[in-house]
Amino acid sequence: MKREKNPFFKELNLSTKNIFGGAHLKNSHAKEQRPISTKRAMHLVLRSSLCKGDLSLLTSKNARKVEEIIWNQAANLGVKIYRFANSGNHLHLLVLPRSRQSFIKFIKAISGLIPRAVLGVERGSAKGKKFWDKRPFSRIVEWGRDFLRVKKYLALNILEAVGFVGLEISEENHKVFS
């Protein structure tokens, strides 16, 4: 049975020219470049169906490693992280890259280092295993209302990851996550 999409995600009003990757990429051969903005924030999502049970990104050992990798790579490559949400089998990041090259290097670095840390393997030794389901999804986020919606969506993802499924975030409670 196909899982229903999160209704909150529909509110983000995705424009197809500002999105790339994930389910929007029909095959692995992209026909155009990933849209990247250094003036506006970027919403980045990495998803893995392998991350269940002991391999979940939320286990205490893996969560620490994943967070350390993301923050270290962001600092090294000049990517500012506004929000980070670990949902167990997928990661959401709200970032502002310094340059196009730094964002591409950031995606390559975290999408390579996280599987190595979680699976406990060295580079090149996990042949035949595909950790990430699809290419990383990214989209350009407009400042203002769109930015606040994505921040709220990431806060909701954090709450769902720790067990508060389907919780509505009111305006008063939203201030906690701002």
Side-chain angles (χ1 to χ4, degrees), residues 54 56-66 117-118:
D54 290 340
S56 172
L57 300 173
L58 274 178
T59 62
S60 60
K61 180 182 81 171
N62 290 340
R64 211 173 305 118
K65 287 179 185 176
V66 167
V118 171

Side-chain angles (χ1 to χ4, degrees), residues 11-55:
E11 285 185 30
L12 296 177
N13 298 330
L14 301 176
S15 167
T16 55
K17 66 179 182 173
N18 290 337
I19 60 174
F20 184 89
H24 297 281
L25 197 59
K26 300 295 181 217
N27 55 31
S28 63
H29 305 293
K31 303 289 188 254
E32 52 192 45
Q33 285 186 331
R34 179 184 298 272
I36 297 172
S37 174
T38 58
K39 306 283 187 213
R40 293 176 283 171
M42 302 281 299
H43 180 198
L44 177 66
V45 182
L46 296 112
R47 183 177 181 83
S48 175
S49 54
L50 281 180
C51 294
K52 296 176 184 167
D54 290 340
L55 294 179

Side-chain angles (χ1 to χ4, degrees), residues 63-102:
R64 211 173 305 118
K65 287 179 185 176
V66 167
E67 196 164 342
E68 185 179 314
I69 288 168
I70 288 173
W71 286 104
N72 286 343
Q73 292 304 314
N76 292 343
L77 297 169
V79 175
K80 182 177 181 179
I81 298 178
Y82 291 111
R83 278 279 188 274
F84 164 63
N86 182 345
S87 299
N89 68 340
H90 64 285
L91 303 169
H92 286 275
L93 292 107
L94 185 58
V95 299
L96 180 66
R98 185 174 18 155
S99 67
R100 178 176 185 81
Q101 292 79 18
S102 68

